[in-house]
Amino acid sequence: MSDEPDRPVTYRDAGVDIDAGNALVSALKPLTRATGRPGADAAIGGFGGLFDLKEAGFRDPLLVAATDGVGTKLKIAIETASHATIGTDLVAMCVNDLIVQGAEPLFFLDYMATGRLDVATARTVIAGIAEACKKSGCALIGGETAEMPGMYQGGDYDLAGFAVGAVERDCLLPLPNLSTGDVIIGLHSSGVHSNGYSLVRKLVEKSGLAWDAPAPWQPDATLAASLLAPTRLYVKPILTALRASGPSRGAIKALAHITGGGITENIPRVLPDNMEAVIDLSAWKPPPVFGWLARTGGLPEEEMLRTFNCGIGMVIVAAADRLDDVLASLRQSGESPCVIGEIGSRKTGSEGIQFRNRLTLANP
């Protein structure tokens, strides 16, 4: 038995620092206030966040909700202490899912779980979340930081995001009048985005490269920095295109966010059972990171297309006679859209997608 006199055992002794949590909330208040928008004042610290749909200008809205995480891309951020952009990934994975149903993101909540709360790291992560919310017109109205020693080791942490948006009832996507001959437009990705990182990390291990080595496909950046390039936020350009030429006018009929399952799995999700996407793989040039992944892992094209976005992060299905309007709106928003296929009748045994030609994968 210990000779030390009995003393109270505190929550801090168990590994949970309430003072650190309070310090983090105080540090975050100016960040969340900066994300305010009509309908939300983005104040935090209460038991729940409020949003006023009427103040946001909706007349007959449907609410759309999405939740997601960042997956094992987090392991790279943690191992290299590079936390500045992982919050963008978290927001993008949620709000990009909202926009595919035509919904404007309204508010966002985050959840961060860690073994030991490091206020500086948490603030950096949540600052990235707040910045991405601002860029998406989405208020950060609350969140939760959980310190759970024994569940997570040391500075390990995990993230989850929750986003809610709204769409007028008559503008919900996909539209019911999808038809053969509709045109498929691709919007470029910034790289791998936030899917397939268990395979990416395995291939990095196989290559023997260190995280601080130059990226073989981008010699002016480290391997970690290049692989941590954040997921693109597609909300603003797509909302602009929808409002300029969208559902009420019949120009944009469907959208698909290319995430887990890659191009192969995600486009058929928005198509009727009697239709398929016919994709010309030679219509765009994937970023060179995909060539390195394919070469390092000896990955066949089928595996690449079912795992990664391969350079196309968002897909738009547009009416053929309104194609020029949609392309013009996207270009005015700074996008470089490319026509990558069309909608056809589904063949017997088809999975809802048919590929023509081959991916043009660079060999860095």
Side-chain angles (χ1 to χ4, degrees), residues 12-332:
R12 187 191 295 268
D13 294 330
V16 178
D17 190 341
I18 295 175
D19 292 335
N22 291 336
L24 178 61
V25 171
S26 296
L28 296 181
K29 285 184 176 180
L31 298 177
T32 58
R33 278 197 297 268
T35 70
R37 52 151 294 155
D41 63 10
I44 62 169
F47 287 94
L50 302 177
F51 194 92
D52 186 338
L53 280 170
K54 185 176 180 180
E55 185 181 339
F58 288 90
R59 52 177 176 79
D60 184 26
L62 295 171
L63 293 179
V64 183
T67 184
D68 211 335
V70 181
T72 59
K73 187 174 187 177
L74 271 176
K75 293 288 289 183
I76 303 176
I78 293 167
E79 289 173 17
T80 62
S82 304
H83 311 287
T85 60
I86 207 73
T88 297
D89 289 295
L90 185 67
V91 174
M93 293 301 289
C94 295
V95 298
N96 287 345
D97 278 357
L98 295 182
I99 196 65
V100 302
Q101 293 183 270
E104 174 188 348
L106 301 177
F107 59 86
F108 189 87
L109 299 98
D110 66 271
Y111 174 79
M112 182 176 187
T114 183
R116 176 181 51 79
L117 179 59
D118 182 285
V119 173
T121 296
R123 189 190 184 284
T124 299
V125 172
I126 299 172
I129 292 172
E131 181 63 24
C133 284
K134 285 172 61 178
K135 290 178 179 178
S136 303
C138 184
L140 178 58
I141 65 171
E144 172 71 8
T145 304
E147 197 171 18
M148 297 191 290
M151 183 70 73
Y152 299 91
Q153 299 302 311
D156 283 354
Y157 64 88
D158 197 7
L159 296 173
F162 310 87
V164 173
V167 57
E168 298 292 0
R169 192 178 303 269
D170 57 359
C171 293
L172 183 67
L173 295 178
L175 296 181
N177 64 339
L178 279 162
S179 61
T180 57
D182 287 341
V183 180
I184 301 174
I185 302 167
L187 299 185
H188 296 289
S189 70
S190 57
V192 185
H193 282 184
S194 298
N195 299 102
Y197 273 81
S198 293
L199 177 55
V200 169
R201 290 168 47 249
K202 188 174 184 66
L203 296 180
V204 169
E205 181 181 0
K206 178 183 178 183
S207 75
L209 291 172
W211 291 123
D212 59 356
W217 59 88
Q218 189 182 355
D220 60 343
T222 66
L223 181 63
S226 188
L227 287 174
L228 286 172
T231 306
R232 288 198 59 209
L233 295 158
Y234 295 102
V235 170
K236 289 293 182 71
I238 290 180
L239 274 180
T240 299
L242 285 170
R243 289 164 179 166
S245 57
S248 62
R249 299 173 179 83
I252 294 177
K253 297 186 176 184
L255 297 158
H257 185 199
I258 309 304
T259 55
I263 292 174
T264 302
E265 301 286 346
N266 283 289
I267 299 179
R269 293 170 64 181
V270 300
L271 302 180
D273 290 341
N274 63 337
M275 295 180 192
E276 68 178 8
V278 182
I279 303 296
D280 179 2
L281 296 176
S282 67
W284 75 94
K285 185 175 292 187
V289 60
F290 294 107
W292 183 84
L293 292 170
R295 180 172 57 84
T296 302
L299 304 178
E301 187 175 81
E302 179 182 4
E303 181 75 6
M304 293 292 296
L305 291 166
R306 198 178 290 273
T307 305
F308 301 115
N309 65 61
C310 294
I312 298 295
M314 183 70 72
V315 162
I316 302 168
V317 181
D321 61 352
R322 301 297 308 281
L323 175 63
D324 290 344
D325 295 337
V326 176
L327 292 176
S329 177
L330 291 168
R331 287 172 181 143
Q332 287 172 5

